[in-house]
Amino acid sequence: DGGITQSPKYLFRKEGQNVTLSCEQNLNHDAMYWYRQDPGQGLRLIYYSQIVNDFQKGDIAEGYSVSREKKESFPLTVTSAQKNPTAFYLCASSIIVGGGSRTYNEQFFGPGTRLTVL
Amino acid sequence: GQNIDQPTEMTATEGAIVQINCTYQTSGFNGLFWYQQHAGEAPTFLSYNVLDGLEEKGRFSSFLSRSKGYSYLLLKELQMKDSASYLCAVSHDRGSTLGRLYFGRGTQLTVWP
């Protein structure tokens, strides 16, 4: 079955430690995304990648880093520089069909990782 | 930039009809998505509108007016399992932001028996 996996479901870390969240997809999608969700908030984009070995900052990239060495994988590192890292993190992927005003880009989401920094 | 607005909370009773509105202001509009998200779970796709008009899919329908920057999600014959957050997301078609979705804060719908 095709899909997106994120692991682990729950993650606990001590303050000051870096932590890497995994995201893997076997949908053959070119684009991948990382979002952060806080209670009562919508999805805020951290980083996204449209192609292997390339990625762009989203709206809240400070304190985070990513890599895109393989099409299937887009790991997110939450560094100690991120001041409020406790949140629900969602990874998504999409195939970008068409171009310009005819682009279709439904995003498929992984199950999420709930990170708690103690 | 993008400005997407939807109500924070709504309540309704089982069997009723509810309409969740979404307004947006954006350049390079390329379609609007609605997602459903149950607490602690991933958002799941409900509908996509790019042309003006109504798209119907079972108990759920979605409407778009591009000239007014307005969409709504209509849920009929509400069931308890419809209690969830409903996310409005606008697609952007410009350059390096191609493929991005801009999400509203979500509308938390509670369905009462």
Side-chain angles (χ1 to χ4, degrees), chain A residues 1-68:
Chain A
D1 285 337
I4 303 176
T5 57
Q6 292 183 245
S7 61
K9 180 73 172 173
Y10 298 96
L11 189 57
F12 297 88
R13 279 295 181 269
K14 291 184 179 179
E15 195 172 344
Q17 290 182 332
N18 291 355
V19 59
T20 297
L21 283 59
S22 76
C23 177
E24 304 279 332
Q25 55 99 0
N26 61 3
L27 299 168
N28 200 33
H29 286 172
D30 289 311
M32 297 186 74
Y33 311 82
W34 272 106
Y35 294 92
R36 169 182 173 139
Q37 188 173 37
D38 295 283
Q41 303 256 358
L43 303 183
R44 292 187 290 167
L45 185 66
I46 306 172
Y47 269 99
Y48 64 108
S49 169
Q50 296 171 323
I51 197 168
V52 174
N53 293 322
D54 189 40
F55 47 82
Q56 287 80 39
K57 292 182 179 180
D59 300 323
I60 55 165
E62 185 175 351
Y64 299 97
S65 66
V66 293
S67 63
R68 187 85 187 278

Side-chain angles (χ1 to χ4, degrees), chain A residues 68-115:
Chain A
R68 187 85 187 278
E69 297 177 0
K70 298 186 300 182
K71 187 176 186 177
E72 302 79 16
S73 179
F74 191 40
L76 173 75
T77 297
V78 184
T79 74
S80 57
Q82 168 50 234
K83 293 179 182 172
N84 295 298
T86 294
F88 187 47
Y89 290 88
L90 286 160
C91 178
S93 70
S94 71
I95 187 168
I96 301 176
V97 180
S101 61
R102 296 182 180 276
T103 301
Y104 181 77
N105 57 330
E106 176 189 345
Q107 292 186 9
F108 296 80
F109 287 84
T113 293
R114 187 166 297 280
L115 172 65

